[in-house]
Amino acid sequence: MYPLLLKPPIKDYLWGGTKLNTEYGFNIDKDIAAEAWMLSCHKDGMNIVLNGEHEGKTINEVLEIWGKSALGYNAESFSYFPILIKLIDAKQKLSVQVHPDDEIAAERYDSLG
C-alpha cells in the first residue's frame, strides 16, 4: 500500500460556480462546477488514481486489489466504501435537502441513507 493521489469527478450542476477551477486549480473544462468528489467509490463518479503502480485505475479497483483490510476494521462490514467527501462551490442559494434513512435508501436506491 502507498498514499494515493486521486483525480476527483467534477459535477456541473446549475447552481455551481467557478471557484473549484479558479481557486483550487482543478483545470475544469466546463463553465461551472458545483462539486469535486475528493474521495468517492460512488457508482456515479469514482476517483481515478494519478500515481504509482495503480495509476489510471479507479479507487474501487485498487481497493479490490488491496482487500478490505485497506479500509480498516470499522468498514469491513460494508459491501462498498461507505464515504463520499465533496468540495462544493454553490454560487446560488441551495434548497434544503432531506436524505432518507438507511432502510428507505436501501429499498429505493440500493444505498445508505
Side-chain angles (χ1 to χ4, degrees):
M1 279 188 245
Y2 63 95
L4 301 175
L5 296 178
L6 303 173
K7 178 180 180 180
I10 305 295
K11 304 298 179 175
D12 60 347
Y13 307 127
L14 292 175
W15 46 263
T18 59
K19 289 182 182 179
L20 293 175
N21 195 24
T22 60
E23 292 187 28
Y24 291 92
F26 284 109
N27 295 320
I28 300 162
D29 60 351
K30 302 171 183 177
D31 291 335
I32 59 169
E35 298 179 351
W37 291 13
M38 304 307 294
L39 181 59
S40 173
C41 282
H42 195 278
K43 61 183 165 74
D44 293 334
M46 289 191 197
N47 296 114
I48 303 295
V49 177
L50 295 174
N51 67 319
E53 66 182 279
H54 298 300
E55 183 176 351
K57 294 179 182 162
T58 67
I59 189 172
N60 199 45
E61 291 171 326
V62 174
L63 290 174
E64 286 178 14
I65 293 167
W66 286 351
K68 286 191 170 192
S69 64
L71 301 177
Y73 176 78
N74 289 330
E76 287 182 354
S77 63
F78 293 97
S79 61
Y80 58 91
F81 188 72
I83 298 172
L84 174 59
I85 298 174
K86 303 176 183 183
L87 285 180
I88 296 175
D89 177 12
K91 188 174 183 178
Q92 301 175 23
K93 292 181 180 179
L94 300 179
S95 61
V96 174
Q97 296 184 9
V98 179
H99 293 271
D101 62 20
D102 286 344
E103 183 179 336
I104 292 174
E107 178 183 306
R108 296 183 187 172
Y109 307 107
D110 191 30
S111 183
L112 293 174

